[in-house]
Amino acid sequence: MGGQAVVDGVMMRGSSTWAVAVRKPDGDIGVVVHDAANWSEKWSHWPLARGIATLAESLSLGFKALTWSAEQQLPEEDREKMGKGTTAATIGVAVLVFAGLFLVLPALAARGLNNSLSIGGSFWLHVVEGVIRLGFFMAYLLVIGRLPDIRRVFQYHGAEHKAIAAYENDVEVTPESAQRFTTEHVRCGTNFLLTVMVVSIVVFSFFGRPSLPLLILSRIVLIPVVAAIAYEVIRFAAGHMRWAWVRVAMKPGLALQRLTTREPTLDQLEVAIVSLRAVMTSEQRAEVDARIAA
């Protein structure tokens, strides 16, 4: 099971379906279920390639879930105005802002510091770039986390983690039972982003100190490579959390999740559980119901 927070709700992904549940303005819970594409499965036995395929599929699914959840908060007559063109433009702007703020700008800042302070070898220059990138990222999360709408999204992010934790720890999957779990989870996208930043230091260091045009181009072109390696790291860690050194290595990423999650309310956990149950197979649902009976 996996998922993400959306606008006033949670998207969950199961073995063969994905679902979105949201709290509508009238207080009811709306839910939609779709078959999962699973086209990335054919790459599942190919290291690195499977990471790129899985991330592309996840991003596509995530954008669809966000669009649907946003539409549910609008009056019926306004939903028609929110066409595919509007969504595509919003996504395009978001991608450009992300690339500029977290990839290009830290590289330019590190380059400027190097000209002023004469930082040592190219590896240390990339370390400085990575530290600046992480600083920008944390500052960004701290700022947007103060916005009421984003804070609510972070609460649903916490609800997603708690609902999945209840399911994976073989306890009753109810709001009250899920509430006692932590909002941290090793498979979280926040943990993945921190891993991306660390991996990028190593990958970018192979390119030394290129000219300014090549510097900017490399930061954008190498995104799939960095993401693919980071995916393999997270995949390995998720399957080896029983090892002490893996748990220690994952602690910074888990700690960073405190900036992207908030303690959810029972109402928000109810929404997350509706989404989670919607993607369960009949066998999984029967097993979960048996826990309550027991």
Side-chain angles (χ1 to χ4, degrees):
M1 297 294 184
Q4 72 175 55
V6 293
V7 180
D8 277 315
V10 173
M11 180 274 287
M12 289 287 186
R13 167 74 181 266
S15 58
S16 59
T17 58
W18 63 277
V20 189
V22 299
R23 183 73 68 179
K24 294 184 176 181
D26 61 7
D28 291 337
I29 297 178
V31 61
V32 63
V33 182
H34 296 283
D35 290 333
N38 286 328
W39 54 264
S40 64
E41 282 296 314
K42 63 181 180 180
W43 300 99
S44 61
H45 300 296
W46 295 84
L48 298 183
R50 63 189 173 197
I52 296 174
T54 299
L55 291 171
E57 184 178 284
S58 298
L59 285 172
S60 174
L61 188 156
F63 289 141
K64 292 177 182 177
L66 279 170
T67 300
W68 185 84
S69 66
E71 289 175 348
Q72 304 314 300
Q73 308 306 316
L74 299 174
E76 192 69 36
E77 59 272 14
D78 291 338
R79 296 180 190 178
E80 298 179 0
K81 301 176 183 177
M82 190 176 172
K84 292 183 178 180
T86 302
T87 303
T90 302
I91 293 172
V93 171
V95 170
L96 289 175
V97 170
F98 176 86
L101 186 59
F102 299 117
L103 293 173
V104 177
L105 190 56
L108 295 177
R111 187 184 181 93
L113 283 176
N114 180 59
N115 293 335
S116 302
L117 304 177
S118 298
I119 299 171
S122 62
F123 176 77
W124 292 109
L125 176 62
H126 293 296
V127 170
V128 171
E129 179 186 336
V131 171
I132 294 173
R133 182 177 294 112
L134 179 60
F136 282 1
F137 181 57
M138 294 182 66
Y140 171 77
L141 292 177
L142 285 169
V143 170
I144 67 170
R146 300 179 67 86
L147 301 175
D149 289 344
I150 300 300
R151 191 181 303 117
R152 192 162 63 251
V153 171
F154 286 174
Q155 284 182 290
Y156 276 108
H157 188 191
E160 174 226 328
H161 286 187
K162 284 173 177 272
I164 292 176
Y167 172 71
E168 293 180 340
N169 284 275
D170 299 322
V171 301
E172 294 181 22
V173 185
T174 62
E176 292 77 12
S177 178
Q179 187 67 287
R180 64 187 177 92
F181 288 95
T182 177
T183 59
E184 300 172 358
H185 201 287
V186 69
R187 297 197 306 272
C188 175
T190 306
N191 199 22
F192 172 76
L193 287 175
L194 181 59
T195 306
V196 163
M197 294 181 187
V198 175
V199 170
S200 68
I201 296 174
V202 179
V203 173
F204 293 157
S205 67
F206 284 100
F207 291 82
R209 303 185 181 188
S211 61
L212 183 58
L214 186 58
L215 176 72
I216 296 175
L217 181 63
S218 66
R219 296 308 182 261
I220 297 174
V221 172
L222 290 174
I223 290 176
V225 177
V226 172
I229 297 174
Y231 173 86
E232 295 297 332
V233 172
I234 293 295
R235 189 173 188 270
F236 176 85
H240 297 83
M241 286 298 286
R242 63 187 181 279
W243 295 353
W245 71 268
V246 173
R247 293 196 298 273
V248 171
M250 290 295 105
K251 279 186 178 297
L254 293 173
L256 189 61
Q257 290 177 35
R258 296 173 187 170
L259 297 180
T260 64
T261 61
R262 297 289 187 276
E263 284 294 327
T265 65
L266 292 178
D267 284 347
Q268 291 168 332
L269 281 165
E270 181 186 11
V271 173
I273 290 172
V274 167
S275 183
L276 178 64
R277 290 183 62 89
V279 299
M280 290 180 183
T281 63
S282 56
E283 292 80 8
Q284 288 171 326
R285 198 173 296 114
E287 188 275 326
V288 167
D289 290 341
R291 300 177 192 177
I292 299 177

